[in-house]
Amino acid sequence: MTAELVRGQNHTLPQTRLEIRVSAGAPVVAGATLGDEHGTVRGVEWIAHPGSPQLPGLEVSRQAAAEHRLAVDLDALPEAVHRVTVLLALPLEAGGPTRFGTVASPFVAVTGLDGTEIATFTLTGLDSESAVAALELYRRQGAWKVRAVGQGYAGGLAAMLADHGVAGAAELAGSIQEAVARGLARSVTPPPPRTPEGGRVTHAAGGPGALQSGGRPHAASQPEPLDEPTSPSSAPTTPVAPAPPSAGGPIDYAHPRRQSTAPPPPPPAAPPAQPGRPATPVAGDATGWSMDERLYNQVWGMFEDLARATAAYRSAVDFAESRMDQELERTLSDPRSRIGGAGDRAREQARAKRDELTGRAREALDRDLAQLAAEAAVVEPALPAAYAGWDNPVWHSYRVPMEIPMALRIGDLHLPESSGMSIPLLVRLPLERGMWIDSGRTASEAAALTGTDQLRRLAMESAVLHAARMLAVYPPNEFSVHVIDPAGSAATALAPLVAAGVLASPPASGPGGVSSVLAHLTRRVDLVQMAIRAGAADSLPPDLDPAEQLLIVNDFPHGFDDRAVTQLRYLADEGPAVGVHLMMVADREDASAYGPVLDPLWRSLLRVTPVADDHLADPWVGHAWTYEPPATPPGSRVLEQVLERVAAARRTGHR
């Protein structure tokens, strides 16, 4: 029976391998400190946080998120540790909440590895606090207990760490927030949370599965628990055993045309599979008001399924390796085992057990991958143009839409364990953040094999493909594209847009062109903001273009003076809220002379690359996913044909 704790109450823990699950109304930073018998934190090496997420017996999340799973193995903690305190703090992100009183009360649950709740605690009564010690696990007379704490700190993370006796608390808090900012910059923005009524339907072999919340791996293909549970000292925060669905808050569909937050149930699913046979995948097997919305939710569900299935596999492999090392250490620590063939036999047995465990984990992952691949095979052909790859036949029958779609495909993602299985990367429309196409040399193998000039050319070609897709999925004359190309170096890449006549004006070049375009868009942002604040949206000047605006900037910072840089930062920060979006094509090293002044600019943009690169992180586990940029099929004229239809629709004002 679950113990529902109130502040100060404690409860005995029946087991030592645990998960601590955190659910908050906004992204929070989750960490933990280790304390000795006096509660003293002996140094930064006893603190787990996003910049240093693993300690013996403890692992926390690597990034800020609205939901966390912290893995704890009390038996694996250092002998001197008598207390584990779970800490939560609000990240210092622009526009985010600055105190817990403005968000829903955080909820913390201590569970077993199978998801069974042992104790829960809702942190009520918080107001001006931006950091809180949520609960603590402590050892008393050889037994471990959990206590609900709920101690808040208006001084934030630094004040909380100082209260725990951490030397250099302010510096450590700053480094933690810096690590969180880096994580947020590389993380893909998740869709709005889904309740059990808004989840995806999964089908187990032999009958329909339960409605899963948040796109959990399918019931028919959950990894089987191994002989031993995962050791959190080396495992990701996702357990090997499946967890039951958890209830979430009300659905928040942020689509601009959405009028209700309660989507209808999914369409009738395919007949359940016969026992022993795999389930038949169905396109649109998720809730939503339209088929497009169902497909969007289904793709994101597949994304999460693959992330968590891979986390379970990696967790099992890490545990198998750790177990082998521990068995060998115990065996070889006895001098008698080194005589004769005892040591060799121990090594063989330990390696055989490791191979057995990793083999079983791989079998479970392969089952998951096979099911997801089958689902992808029916989903991909059913995707609308906004979600489809450029090689999808849907583009051959393309017509300019009359409504803005829910999302846009900007590439594909895959993991090393899932070769051949990729997930469409869908971002919501209107864009919530700008894009940065990194034309510099990254650490990826593809970038190492590509010359500097070719990287710059490929980056601009990627920008053109992204811009063309945006033009194609918006209704006629509801999306305008501007280009700043100070040196005129992108003329070849821009040729499809220029030839089709779909740009708002010719590409701007030279310092004068840069200044003119930035002044025009900055004025638009200022006027719209003032109209919104005054409640006088109808009084905007007649020459103001009401369409969404996209600014493509090539070769930054060439041709930019200090004033232009300031205007660009202003557009990146304030533009998305009023329909002005930024797409930077730049090598960060070229702007190194500006130092940290431009750090907020780079972090505000979603970084993508013109070649394959593993720099994006999922919002659930934090895997590094390889991003594959969009590309048209070799020899295809699909891009030119689509732009011709867009241009024709813009001239006539209809499809």
Side-chain angles (χ1 to χ4, degrees):
M1 183 175 179
T2 304
E4 298 181 0
L5 305 180
V6 297
R7 187 175 281 105
Q9 190 176 4
N10 60 43
H11 182 73
T12 301
L13 295 171
Q15 59 201 78
T16 56
R17 285 189 172 97
L18 307 164
E19 269 197 348
I20 299 174
R21 302 187 178 189
V22 178
S23 179
V28 296
V29 181
T33 61
L34 305 180
D36 59 19
E37 65 273 19
H38 304 297
T40 302
V41 180
R42 296 186 176 180
V44 294
E45 66 275 6
W46 274 26
I47 304 174
H49 56 81
S52 178
Q54 292 184 349
L55 296 178
L58 175 66
E59 182 172 3
V60 303
S61 303
R62 292 167 171 79
Q63 57 197 42
E67 295 185 359
H68 292 272
R69 293 186 181 186
L70 284 63
V72 182
D73 184 352
L74 298 173
D75 290 336
L77 294 172
E79 189 66 27
V81 172
H82 287 252
R83 184 176 301 174
V84 179
T85 305
V86 177
L87 313 176
L88 305 178
L90 293 171
L92 300 178
E93 57 176 329
T98 58
R99 57 190 184 92
F100 277 109
T102 61
V103 300
S105 298
F107 173 81
V108 184
V110 180
T111 76
L113 292 184
D114 61 353
T116 303
E117 291 185 346
I118 299 169
T120 64
F121 175 42
T122 301
L123 284 77
T124 58
L126 297 176
D127 186 12
S128 61
E129 299 88 346
S130 59
V132 60
L135 55 78
E136 63 180 11
L137 313 178
Y138 64 98
R139 182 161 50 187
R140 181 69 55 82
Q141 298 178 347
W144 282 92
K145 297 184 177 182
V146 56
R147 176 186 292 120
V149 180
Q151 175 63 54
Y153 296 85
L157 185 58
M160 181 166 58
L161 292 174
D163 191 48
H164 283 72
V166 178
E171 292 78 8
L172 178 58
S175 68
I176 293 174
Q177 293 287 6
E178 178 73 16
V180 171
R182 290 195 300 268
L184 288 172
R186 64 188 290 266
S187 178
V188 178
T189 304
R194 285 170 285 164
T195 65
E197 288 75 19
R200 48 192 310 243
V201 176
T202 59
H203 306 285
L211 195 62
Q212 300 283 337
S213 174
R216 296 286 296 164
H218 299 290
S221 59
Q222 285 280 11
E224 296 177 2
L226 305 181
D227 286 344
E228 300 287 345
T230 302
S231 170
S233 61
S234 61
T237 55
T238 302
V240 174
S246 58
I251 302 174
D252 177 19
Y253 286 95
H255 189 261
R257 300 184 188 276
R258 191 67 56 229
Q259 299 298 324
S260 172
T261 60
Q274 297 298 319
R277 291 188 175 185
T280 302
V282 179
D285 190 11
T287 58
W289 287 98
S290 65
M291 187 61 173
D292 288 0
E293 190 169 354
R294 291 167 184 159
L295 288 167
Y296 170 83
N297 287 335
Q298 186 172 14
V299 168
W300 269 90
M302 293 165 61
F303 187 8
E304 183 175 359
D305 287 353
L306 183 55
R308 295 196 183 277
T310 304
Y313 168 73
R314 293 181 180 179
S315 172
V317 170
D318 288 346
F319 169 74
E321 293 286 347
S322 176
R323 170 175 166 163
M324 181 186 71
D325 293 341
Q326 292 174 3
E327 289 180 351
L328 289 176
E329 183 179 357
R330 285 196 301 267
T331 301
L332 299 179
S333 63
D334 184 355
R336 292 172 297 180
S337 66
R338 304 171 192 167
I339 302 174
D344 293 337
R345 289 193 297 272
R347 290 188 185 92
E348 291 176 1
Q349 292 173 357
R351 292 189 181 111
K353 187 62 176 177
R354 176 203 60 189
D355 293 343
E356 177 190 355
L357 292 176
T358 55
R360 291 171 58 188
R362 184 71 220 192
E363 290 175 3
L365 177 63
D366 287 343
R367 287 195 299 271
D368 281 332
L369 292 179
Q371 184 169 351
L372 285 170
E375 188 173 8
V378 299
V379 168
E380 188 72 40
L383 295 177
Y387 305 173
W390 285 107
D391 57 350
N392 193 306
V394 71
W395 288 106
H396 297 304
S397 57
Y398 164 77
R399 298 181 67 190
V400 178
M402 297 304 293
E403 290 189 351
I404 302 172
M406 169 172 274
L408 182 82
R409 185 173 187 159
I410 62 170
D412 294 84
L413 299 172
H414 65 83
L415 292 169
E417 293 87 350
S418 58
S419 58
M421 172 68 195
S422 62
I423 301 292
L425 176 54
L426 304 180
V427 297
R428 296 293 286 259
L429 289 179
L431 294 175
E432 297 173 352
R433 59 195 293 200
M435 296 175 63
W436 165 31
I437 303 175
D438 190 351
S439 60
R441 187 171 299 282
T442 64
S444 71
E445 181 180 355
L449 298 175
T450 308
T452 301
D453 291 340
Q454 188 179 5
L455 277 174
R456 294 180 185 273
R457 176 180 60 79
L458 291 174
M460 197 60 204
E461 290 176 356
S462 292
V464 169
L465 286 177
H466 290 306
R469 182 181 289 264
M470 294 179 196
L471 285 164
V473 303
Y474 270 78
N477 299 312
E478 289 194 22
F479 194 83
S480 297
V481 178
H482 308 262
V483 177
I484 290 178
D485 184 23
S489 59
T492 302
L494 290 168
L497 299 177
V498 174
V502 292
L503 294 179
S505 58
S509 60
V514 172
S515 176
S516 174
V517 172
L518 291 177
H520 169 72
L521 292 177
T522 301
R523 172 179 176 269
R524 185 189 187 281
V525 172
D526 289 339
L527 290 174
V528 174
Q529 284 185 337
M530 288 189 292
I532 292 175
R533 292 182 188 132
D538 294 336
S539 63
L540 289 168
D543 64 334
L544 188 139
D545 182 3
E548 297 274 319
Q549 309 287 312
L550 174 69
L551 172 60
I552 302 176
V553 178
N554 184 43
D555 262 355
F556 177 80
H558 182 80
F560 280 73
D561 56 20
D562 289 345
R563 174 179 171 79
V565 170
T566 300
Q567 289 176 315
L568 193 68
R569 290 183 56 189
Y570 177 73
L571 292 178
D573 293 339
E574 305 294 334
V578 291
V580 177
H581 312 285
L582 186 61
M583 184 180 293
M584 298 276 289
V585 182
D587 179 356
R588 189 168 181 174
E589 288 300 316
D590 292 344
S592 58
Y594 287 93
V597 172
L598 291 181
D599 285 354
L601 171 64
W602 303 118
R603 288 176 185 163
S604 69
L605 305 173
L606 175 63
R607 175 176 172 257
V608 295
T609 51
V611 294
D613 189 84
D614 59 348
H615 65 282
L616 289 177
D618 65 79
W620 307 284
V621 184
H623 293 315
W625 292 71
T626 297
Y627 169 79
E628 293 280 357
T632 55
S636 171
R637 293 196 70 255
V638 62
L639 176 63
E640 290 79 6
Q641 292 169 354
V642 167
L643 289 177
E644 288 171 3
R645 296 180 187 178
V646 170
R650 291 164 69 93
R651 288 192 296 269
T652 60
H654 57 75
R655 293 183 295 172

